[in-house]
Amino acid sequence: MHNGKRFSLDEIINVQSLQEIQNKFSEATGIAAVTVDANGAPVTKPSKFTDFCCYVRSFPDGFERCKACDDRGGRNAMEKQRPVVYHCHSGLTDFAAPIIVQNEYVGALLAGQVVLPNPDFDAKQEMFSRLLPLGMDKEILSELFDKIAIIPEHRLQAAADLLHLMANYIVEMSATNLVQKQLMAELKAKSELQNLLRAAELKALQAQINPHFLFNALNTIARLSLLEGAERTQEVVHSLSALLRTNLRDMEEMRTLQQEIKSIEDYLSIQQVRFGDRIQATIEIQPELMKISVPALSLQPLVENAIIHGLEPKKEGGHIYISGYVANNNIIIRVSDTGVGIPQERMGAILKSEKRSSKGHLTGIGLINVHQRIQHYFGEQYGLRIESKVGEGTEVYLSLPNVS
């Protein structure tokens, strides 16, 4: 990589995905944002930068000070291993969320360009004292400064924590893809390739949490932070944090069914905030089944597809049922929905390849991966079976051996 570093931000991350998340964040919160690399240089286009900051950055000295300030803010966040709120060189309030890959600082998400309501700090006079010596016009500075949003610190801190979580998810996903490519290129001729590829496929499945869901979760949380107190927002952030932490950091090849159900509950709690009463969920698993081992991340793709492709297209929404039981000496996990159903001509292709709908969405995302991994671990007689009727709903049966 560069300068003795193992990772470079623009090499390991899909900048377009990060740009989209950054743009969604700024649209939902009204807070400006930009992403910089480990040296403070921008890697994304600024989102909703204020006219004030654009004016300051139009001066060479102002731009250099902004870049140096961005670098200091990012490194401060890196040292503290968490988002930090600080005053920029112009006296505005910013925050920096570090992007850390395998304990290495590769950059930061910077946002803010706002003023905090602080009667003990005259931000405007502080701004004049810092910028007028650079030859900037006082009247222009004053006019543009008066347009800057005044935002309470708790809202800014909540936004910092959220953006930090989302950015590091994308970075972890990109780093996983990079490692997977390196493994495939360097170890293709070795006899252990199959086992290594299985591990890489498992990591790739971690990264398949639908970005559509992440963007909607981001908008949901941002809107809640603007419209109500912190209690509900905290619950949603906690669920999202637990979900991503489990799927990204604590993931092993096999987990207990109880751990899988906990991830599903976190996922559903976020979706139910987004959809409200449109989506209802019922989970009924026989208690003695909760200790069985299942391939990690086996259930979430089933629930996610039920919501996105089954219930979301219905204006009135519907119900998801998750049940577990023993039948014919097999363990069956059933995920059903009362959604729009799947046309018969598409049923046969779902467990063979991932097909795209007319809107470009993957209609079988994750399902083929779950099916193949179950067969890999337990044999071809196990896996997924799908039944569906258009207009009535879909049932997905996951079968496992009963080894108790």
Coordinates of all heavy atoms in Angstrom, one line a residue, residues 301-346:
P301 N -31.3 -13.4 5.7 CA -31.7 -13.2 4.2 C -33.1 -13.7 4.0 O -33.8 -13.1 3.1 CB -30.7 -14.1 3.5 CG -29.5 -14.2 4.4 CD -30.1 -14.2 5.8
L302 N -33.6 -14.7 4.7 CA -35.0 -15.1 4.5 C -36.0 -14.0 4.9 O -37.0 -13.7 4.2 CB -35.3 -16.4 5.2 CG -34.2 -17.5 5.1 CD1 -34.7 -18.8 5.8 CD2 -33.9 -17.8 3.7
V303 N -35.7 -13.4 6.1 CA -36.6 -12.4 6.6 C -36.5 -11.1 5.8 O -37.5 -10.5 5.4 CB -36.3 -12.1 8.1 CG1 -37.1 -10.9 8.6 CG2 -36.5 -13.3 8.9
E304 N -35.3 -10.8 5.3 CA -35.1 -9.6 4.5 C -35.8 -9.7 3.2 O -36.5 -8.8 2.8 CB -33.6 -9.4 4.3 CG -33.3 -8.1 3.6 CD -31.8 -7.8 3.6 OE1 -31.0 -8.6 4.2 OE2 -31.4 -6.8 2.9
N305 N -35.8 -10.9 2.5 CA -36.5 -11.0 1.3 C -38.0 -11.0 1.5 O -38.7 -10.5 0.6 CB -36.0 -12.4 0.6 CG -34.8 -12.2 -0.2 OD1 -34.9 -11.9 -1.4 ND2 -33.6 -12.4 0.3
A306 N -38.4 -11.5 2.6 CA -39.9 -11.5 2.9 C -40.4 -10.1 3.0 O -41.5 -9.7 2.5 CB -40.2 -12.3 4.2
I307 N -39.6 -9.2 3.6 CA -40.0 -7.8 3.8 C -39.9 -7.1 2.5 O -40.8 -6.4 2.0 CB -39.2 -7.1 4.9 CG1 -39.5 -7.7 6.3 CG2 -39.4 -5.6 4.9 CD1 -38.7 -7.2 7.4
I308 N -38.7 -7.1 1.9 CA -38.4 -6.3 0.7 C -39.3 -6.7 -0.5 O -39.9 -5.9 -1.2 CB -36.9 -6.3 0.3 CG1 -36.1 -5.7 1.4 CG2 -36.7 -5.6 -1.0 CD1 -34.6 -5.8 1.3
H309 N -39.4 -8.0 -0.8 CA -40.0 -8.5 -2.0 C -41.4 -9.0 -1.8 O -42.2 -9.2 -2.7 CB -39.2 -9.6 -2.7 CG -37.8 -9.1 -3.0 ND1 -37.5 -8.1 -3.9 CD2 -36.6 -9.5 -2.5 CE1 -36.2 -7.9 -4.0 NE2 -35.6 -8.7 -3.1
G310 N -41.8 -9.2 -0.5 CA -43.1 -9.7 -0.2 C -44.0 -8.7 0.4 O -45.1 -8.4 -0.2
L311 N -43.6 -8.0 1.5 CA -44.5 -7.1 2.2 C -44.4 -5.6 1.7 O -45.4 -4.9 1.7 CB -44.3 -7.2 3.7 CG -44.4 -8.6 4.3 CD1 -44.2 -8.5 5.8 CD2 -45.8 -9.2 4.0
E312 N -43.2 -5.2 1.4 CA -43.0 -3.8 1.1 C -43.8 -3.3 -0.1 O -44.4 -2.2 -0.1 CB -41.5 -3.4 0.9 CG -41.3 -2.0 0.6 CD -39.8 -1.6 0.6 OE1 -39.0 -2.6 0.8 OE2 -39.4 -0.5 0.2
P313 N -44.0 -4.2 -1.2 CA -44.8 -3.8 -2.3 C -46.3 -3.6 -2.0 O -47.0 -3.0 -2.8 CB -44.6 -4.9 -3.4 CG -43.3 -5.5 -3.0 CD -43.3 -5.4 -1.5
K314 N -46.8 -4.2 -0.9 CA -48.2 -4.1 -0.5 C -48.4 -2.9 0.3 O -47.8 -2.7 1.3 CB -48.6 -5.4 0.3 CG -48.6 -6.7 -0.5 CD -49.1 -7.8 0.3 CE -50.6 -7.7 0.7 NZ -51.2 -8.8 1.4
K315 N -49.4 -2.1 -0.2 CA -49.7 -0.8 0.5 C -50.1 -1.1 2.0 O -49.7 -0.3 2.8 CB -50.8 -0.1 -0.2 CG -51.1 1.3 0.4 CD -52.2 1.9 -0.5 CE -52.6 3.3 0.1 NZ -53.6 4.0 -0.7
E316 N -50.8 -2.1 2.2 CA -51.3 -2.4 3.6 C -50.3 -3.2 4.4 O -50.5 -3.4 5.6 CB -52.6 -3.1 3.6 CG -52.6 -4.6 3.0 CD -52.7 -4.6 1.5 OE1 -52.4 -3.6 0.8 OE2 -53.0 -5.7 1.0
G317 N -49.2 -3.6 3.8 CA -48.2 -4.4 4.5 C -48.6 -5.8 4.7 O -49.3 -6.4 3.9
G318 N -48.2 -6.4 5.9 CA -48.6 -7.8 6.1 C -47.9 -8.3 7.4 O -47.3 -7.6 8.2
H319 N -47.8 -9.6 7.4 CA -47.3 -10.3 8.6 C -46.2 -11.3 8.2 O -46.3 -12.0 7.2 CB -48.4 -11.1 9.3 CG -48.2 -11.3 10.8 ND1 -49.1 -10.8 11.7 CD2 -47.3 -11.9 11.5 CE1 -48.7 -11.1 12.9 NE2 -47.6 -11.8 12.8
I320 N -45.2 -11.4 9.1 CA -44.1 -12.4 8.9 C -44.2 -13.4 10.1 O -44.4 -13.0 11.2 CB -42.7 -11.8 8.9 CG1 -42.6 -10.9 7.6 CG2 -41.6 -12.9 8.9 CD1 -41.2 -10.2 7.6
Y321 N -44.2 -14.7 9.8 CA -44.2 -15.7 10.8 C -42.9 -16.5 10.8 O -42.5 -17.0 9.7 CB -45.4 -16.7 10.6 CG -46.8 -16.0 10.7 CD1 -47.3 -15.5 9.5 CD2 -47.4 -15.8 11.9 CE1 -48.6 -14.8 9.6 CE2 -48.7 -15.2 11.9 CZ -49.2 -14.7 10.8 OH -50.5 -14.1 10.8
I322 N -42.2 -16.6 11.9 CA -41.0 -17.4 12.0 C -41.3 -18.5 13.0 O -41.5 -18.2 14.2 CB -39.8 -16.6 12.4 CG1 -39.6 -15.4 11.4 CG2 -38.5 -17.4 12.5 CD1 -38.7 -14.4 11.9
S323 N -41.2 -19.8 12.6 CA -41.4 -20.9 13.5 C -40.4 -21.9 13.3 O -39.7 -22.0 12.3 CB -42.8 -21.5 13.2 OG -42.9 -21.9 11.9
G324 N -40.2 -22.8 14.4 CA -39.3 -23.9 14.3 C -39.8 -25.1 15.0 O -40.5 -25.0 16.1
Y325 N -39.7 -26.2 14.4 CA -40.2 -27.5 14.9 C -39.5 -28.7 14.3 O -38.6 -28.5 13.4 CB -41.7 -27.5 14.5 CG -42.0 -27.3 13.1 CD1 -42.1 -28.4 12.2 CD2 -42.3 -26.1 12.5 CE1 -42.4 -28.3 10.8 CE2 -42.5 -25.9 11.2 CZ -42.6 -27.0 10.3 OH -42.8 -26.8 9.0
V326 N -39.8 -29.9 14.8 CA -39.2 -31.1 14.3 C -40.3 -31.9 13.5 O -41.4 -32.0 14.0 CB -38.7 -32.0 15.5 CG1 -38.2 -33.3 15.0 CG2 -37.7 -31.2 16.3
A327 N -39.9 -32.3 12.3 CA -40.8 -33.1 11.5 C -40.0 -34.1 10.7 O -38.9 -33.8 10.1 CB -41.5 -32.1 10.5
N328 N -40.4 -35.4 10.8 CA -39.8 -36.5 10.1 C -38.3 -36.5 10.4 O -37.4 -36.8 9.6 CB -39.9 -36.3 8.5 CG -41.4 -36.4 8.1 OD1 -42.2 -37.1 8.7 ND2 -41.7 -35.5 7.1
N329 N -38.0 -36.3 11.7 CA -36.7 -36.4 12.3 C -35.7 -35.3 11.7 O -34.5 -35.4 11.8 CB -36.0 -37.8 12.1 CG -35.0 -38.0 13.1 OD1 -35.1 -37.6 14.3 ND2 -33.9 -38.8 12.7
N330 N -36.3 -34.3 11.1 CA -35.6 -33.1 10.7 C -36.0 -31.9 11.4 O -37.1 -31.8 11.9 CB -35.8 -32.8 9.2 CG -35.1 -33.9 8.3 OD1 -34.1 -34.5 8.7 ND2 -35.6 -34.0 7.1
I331 N -35.1 -30.9 11.6 CA -35.5 -29.6 12.2 C -35.9 -28.7 11.1 O -35.1 -28.5 10.1 CB -34.3 -29.1 13.0 CG1 -34.0 -30.0 14.2 CG2 -34.6 -27.6 13.5 CD1 -32.7 -29.6 14.9
I332 N -37.0 -28.1 11.2 CA -37.5 -27.2 10.2 C -37.7 -25.8 10.7 O -38.3 -25.6 11.8 CB -38.9 -27.7 9.6 CG1 -38.9 -29.1 9.1 CG2 -39.4 -26.7 8.5 CD1 -37.9 -29.3 8.0
I333 N -37.1 -24.8 10.1 CA -37.3 -23.4 10.4 C -38.1 -22.8 9.2 O -37.7 -22.9 8.1 CB -36.0 -22.6 10.5 CG1 -35.0 -23.4 11.5 CG2 -36.3 -21.2 11.0 CD1 -35.6 -23.5 12.9
R334 N -39.3 -22.3 9.6 CA -40.2 -21.8 8.5 C -40.3 -20.3 8.6 O -40.6 -19.8 9.7 CB -41.6 -22.5 8.7 CG -42.7 -22.0 7.8 CD -44.0 -22.8 8.1 NE -45.1 -22.3 7.3 CZ -46.0 -21.4 7.8 NH1 -45.8 -21.0 9.1 NH2 -47.0 -21.0 7.1
V335 N -40.1 -19.6 7.5 CA -40.3 -18.2 7.4 C -41.4 -17.9 6.4 O -41.2 -18.2 5.2 CB -39.0 -17.4 7.1 CG1 -39.3 -15.9 6.9 CG2 -37.9 -17.7 8.1
S336 N -42.5 -17.4 6.8 CA -43.6 -17.2 5.9 C -44.1 -15.7 5.9 O -43.9 -15.1 7.0 CB -44.8 -18.1 6.1 OG -45.3 -17.9 7.4
D337 N -44.7 -15.3 4.9 CA -45.2 -13.9 4.8 C -46.5 -13.9 4.1 O -46.8 -14.8 3.3 CB -44.2 -13.0 4.2 CG -44.0 -13.3 2.7 OD1 -44.9 -13.0 1.9 OD2 -42.9 -13.8 2.3
T338 N -47.3 -12.8 4.3 CA -48.6 -12.6 3.7 C -48.4 -11.6 2.6 O -49.3 -10.8 2.4 CB -49.6 -12.2 4.7 OG1 -49.2 -11.0 5.3 CG2 -49.8 -13.2 5.8
G339 N -47.3 -11.7 1.9 CA -47.0 -10.7 0.9 C -47.6 -10.9 -0.5 O -48.5 -11.7 -0.7
V340 N -46.9 -10.4 -1.5 CA -47.4 -10.4 -2.9 C -47.2 -11.8 -3.6 O -47.8 -12.1 -4.6 CB -46.8 -9.3 -3.8 CG1 -47.2 -7.9 -3.2 CG2 -45.3 -9.4 -3.8
G341 N -46.3 -12.6 -3.0 CA -46.1 -13.9 -3.6 C -45.1 -13.8 -4.8 O -44.7 -12.7 -5.2
I342 N -44.7 -15.0 -5.3 CA -43.7 -15.1 -6.3 C -44.3 -15.8 -7.5 O -44.9 -16.9 -7.4 CB -42.5 -15.9 -5.9 CG1 -41.9 -15.3 -4.6 CG2 -41.4 -16.0 -7.0 CD1 -40.8 -16.1 -4.0
P343 N -44.3 -15.3 -8.7 CA -44.8 -16.0 -9.9 C -44.1 -17.3 -10.1 O -42.9 -17.5 -9.9 CB -44.5 -15.0 -11.1 CG -44.3 -13.7 -10.4 CD -43.7 -14.0 -9.1
Q344 N -44.9 -18.3 -10.6 CA -44.4 -19.7 -10.7 C -43.2 -19.7 -11.7 O -42.3 -20.5 -11.5 CB -45.5 -20.6 -11.2 CG -46.5 -20.9 -10.2 CD -45.9 -21.6 -9.0 OE1 -45.1 -22.6 -9.1 NE2 -46.3 -21.2 -7.8
E345 N -43.2 -18.9 -12.7 CA -42.1 -19.0 -13.7 C -40.8 -18.5 -13.1 O -39.7 -18.8 -13.7 CB -42.5 -18.1 -14.9 CG -42.7 -16.6 -14.7 CD -44.1 -16.3 -14.3 OE1 -44.9 -17.2 -14.0 OE2 -44.5 -15.1 -14.5
R346 N -40.8 -17.8 -12.0 CA -39.6 -17.4 -11.4 C -39.2 -18.3 -10.2 O -38.0 -18.2 -9.7 CB -39.8 -16.0 -10.9 CG -38.5 -15.2 -10.7 CD -38.7 -13.7 -10.4 NE -39.6 -13.6 -9.2 CZ -40.0 -12.4 -8.8 NH1 -39.6 -11.3 -9.4 NH2 -40.8 -12.3 -7.8

